[in-house]
Amino acid sequence: MPRPARFAAPRHWAAPEAPAETTTRLRPVRTRRPARVVAAAACLVLGLGLIGGAVTGSWLTGGADAEDGTPSGYAEARDLWHSVPVDTLFPRTLDGNGAGPGGADRVWTRVAVAPESGCAKALDPLLLKAVRPVGCLRLLRATYTDATTSSVTTVGMVFTEADAPAMKALRARFTHEGLADRTDLMPRTYPAEGTVAEGFGDRQRASWTVSVLTDVPAIVYAVSGFADGRTVPDPQPARRATASGATTAPAQAGLGHEAKGVADRVERGLRTTARPAPETTR
């Protein structure tokens, strides 16, 4: 089993002070030459002004880091798909405290993990076309069931080839055009044989959610359905299925909460794993 990626920043130890630096004595200030004092003060003020101007300019322009718009650890996060254990990305159980309808608690158990793959066969053609601008580096998927085994949910992570600005552009497009709510862009399921999810196919999809991340080069999605394999003629996005007063079959069965709850927790775990460890100092 490969070891998880390490994102701790390298420690930078300050060089020890030399004896000359620790023993040098400060000379007393002479009061007989006020002109030199005034000149020194003027130089100090000018120097501080130049430093302050440079810092202000850096704030206004954003500096080198803001120019490329890529958060620290972005490139490392792109490699998590092969450097982190599957149990970290897709825990065996997910605790959904307050994630069900009316704030009810949920617990989801992983029933299958798909082999890592590309996106061509795992995403519907239109969804594949929508994410093509950021590229599909790798796709990871797993399927979960609830404590009653009455529902199943497939959750996926698309690791992209894009930088932060490209991910922000894709997220803006999904938001402005409502792509995450379109039925023809609904993610596909992973119906693992020999499990409670083996009958979970395209026609059994009931509710879904798609989230384009910007702090990590990834897209996280989840799609839910009934574990008994029943067909759902009118699937509904989780955002609508979890709204107050929703009366559709996916909403009444809490399948919007299932999709959203599983996706949220997997997304949260991905962000935690990808976040660089804070630099430690002595």
Side-chain angles (χ1 to χ4, degrees), residues 203-223:
R203 298 179 63 190
Q204 285 70 40
R205 294 177 292 182
S207 191
W208 74 97
T209 183
V210 179
S211 179
V212 179
L213 310 187
T214 56
D215 53 340
V216 179
I219 300 168
V220 177
Y221 68 82
V223 56

Side-chain angles (χ1 to χ4, degrees), residues 96-106 108 241-246 250-258 260 265:
N97 296 333
D105 294 338
R106 284 286 190 269
W108 297 283
T242 57
S244 178
Q252 293 293 310
L255 293 176
H257 289 84
E258 300 292 304
K260 186 177 185 304
R265 279 143 187 84

